Amino acid sequence: MHGYLWFVGKRALQLLAVIFFGVSATFLVTHLSPINPVESALGRMTARSVSNPEAIVAMRAALTELYGVDEPIWSQYINFWTRLVQGDFGPSLLAFPTPAMTLVMRALPWTVTLLTLATLITFAVGNIMGGLAGYNQNNRFLKAFGLVAIGIQPIPYYVVAFIMLIVFGFIWPILPISGGFAMNVTPGWNWPYISSVIQHATLPALSLVLVGFGGWFLGMRALVSNVVTEDYVTYAELAGVKRTTIVGAYVMRNALLPQLTALAMALGTVFSGTVITEQVFNYPGLGSLLIDAVNAGDYSLVLAVATVSVTAVAVSIFIVDLLYPILDPRVRAE
């Protein structure tokens, strides 16, 4: 028990280091950008209505003082971390004066739900079918399933998303292709709203699942193909152990352990696919919010989205890392 607590402590320090350096890198990238957020905001404001020069000068001075863009970058960095500890990213220029964190919290549940469902379905389907294909290597259905997985896996996220948008939105219009829910339903815990959310999330989630399950299928099939040749599997078969027990307890359980490591690595890249998918389907998640913030030069909103995303991915990897010694007794938690 003492060794595992020491293992958790070291991984927690690594988690804090990853979050610190990831957020710091995002800060430097945004603040070294040639885009001036104050001038971008003034350009949008003056494009909507004609203002007198005195008002524009006063507004520029007020926004410059508010965001501190006239200060040295090291001073901005210290101020950023001071506000970050308090959970304050400042107002968003995209929806001024709404706080940037308010916009992030509105979009976060959509992305978390989409990512969680897509990741769990992809991981489960890919590993279960891959394990069965590795154990039953002469099964025709599983061979055909493998060919489909190999054919879909190399296709980029956005290509699959566009194909599904065309097929289910225009050729066979049975699913909504834009937004998070229908405009004529009232948000809340009622069936019309919940069913509308499920329908609107089907295509974005399905595009992520179709692209992602192939990698898990191929990896699990290769691992199981090696495990079935082990002596303990042969002994179990000769001893008359049920095939379902052999596949579940002897083969797939041991082959699944390396897949947990792959899952931790995949969590770091899954958000990039979500950004593209959300943009294609106009899904109201963090990906769409990030694209809008980048186009508008909104430092506060970009940093808020990036900080939440880096933290969420790092915590997910941290949890998977802690589960590994529990699931595999051969791993020493030191």
Side-chain angles (χ1 to χ4, degrees):
M1 186 64 182
H2 177 74
Y4 185 74
L5 293 178
W6 178 247
F7 172 79
V8 172
K10 290 195 299 182
R11 291 299 184 270
L13 291 177
Q14 293 179 4
L15 169 67
L16 295 177
V18 169
I19 294 175
F20 174 78
F21 287 110
V23 174
S24 297
T26 305
F27 174 87
L28 292 176
V29 169
T30 55
H31 284 71
L32 293 178
S33 170
I35 300 176
N36 189 317
V38 174
E39 296 300 329
S40 298
L42 286 175
R44 291 193 302 273
M45 294 177 183
T46 55
R48 298 172 186 171
S49 61
V50 179
S51 304
N52 59 67
E54 292 79 7
I56 294 177
V57 172
M59 192 178 299
R60 179 181 287 109
L63 290 175
T64 300
E65 182 181 0
L66 176 63
Y67 285 91
V69 293
D70 58 337
E71 299 178 2
I73 191 169
W74 61 267
S75 179
Q76 296 183 48
Y77 181 71
I78 295 175
N79 292 334
F80 164 71
W81 277 104
T82 303
R83 290 186 284 106
L84 177 60
V85 173
Q86 303 172 358
D88 178 22
F89 289 89
S92 169
L93 285 175
L94 188 64
F96 190 85
T98 305
M101 201 60 188
T102 300
L103 298 177
V104 171
M105 295 310 295
R106 291 175 185 172
L108 183 61
W110 298 96
T111 296
V112 169
T113 303
L114 180 64
L115 272 180
T116 302
L117 290 176
T119 302
L120 291 178
I121 294 174
T122 303
F123 186 79
V125 172
N127 282 292
I128 291 175
M129 298 302 293
L132 294 176
Y135 188 77
N136 303 286
Q137 299 182 5
N138 296 322
N139 188 288
R140 293 184 178 180
F141 172 76
L142 293 174
K143 285 184 177 180
F145 192 88
L147 292 176
V148 174
I150 295 174
I152 295 179
Q153 186 201 4
I155 303 177
Y157 284 102
Y158 60 89
V159 174
V160 175
F162 278 122
I163 292 175
M164 296 184 64
L165 187 148
I166 294 172
V167 172
F168 295 103
F170 299 97
I171 298 177
W172 191 25
I174 59 173
L175 290 171
I177 61 174
S178 179
F181 58 93
M183 300 300 294
N184 60 346
V185 297
T186 303
W189 293 105
N190 54 81
W191 176 245
Y193 174 72
I194 295 175
S195 62
S196 179
V197 169
I198 294 175
Q199 292 175 13
H200 282 75
T202 299
L203 287 182
L206 192 57
S207 65
L208 293 173
V209 170
L210 288 177
V211 175
F213 86 91
W216 298 115
F217 176 88
L218 297 176
M220 191 64 172
R221 187 178 66 178
L223 290 169
V224 169
S225 298
N226 293 327
V227 172
V228 294
T229 60
E230 297 290 340
D231 294 338
Y232 61 86
V233 177
T234 304
Y235 181 80
E237 292 174 342
L238 295 176
V241 179
K242 294 181 179 180
R243 289 177 61 87
T244 55
T245 303
I246 294 175
V247 174
Y250 288 77
V251 178
M252 295 186 63
R253 182 178 179 182
N254 288 282
L256 188 63
L257 297 173
Q259 293 292 77
L260 291 177
T261 304
L263 175 62
M265 298 174 63
L267 288 173
T269 59
V270 71
F271 181 73
S272 61
T274 309
V275 171
I276 299 173
T277 302
E278 289 183 358
Q279 191 68 11
V280 171
F281 293 102
N282 194 27
Y283 198 72
L286 290 180
S288 298
L289 188 63
L290 178 62
I291 296 298
D292 294 339
V294 171
N295 292 334
D298 191 343
Y299 286 178
S300 300
L301 191 53
V302 170
L303 287 172
V305 173
T307 300
V308 171
S309 302
V310 169
T311 303
V313 172
V315 170
S316 301
I317 296 174
F318 173 72
I319 294 174
V320 173
D321 205 12
L322 295 186
L323 290 176
Y324 205 91
I326 297 177
L327 298 175
D328 189 359
R330 297 170 297 180
V331 177
R332 298 181 61 186
E334 297 180 350

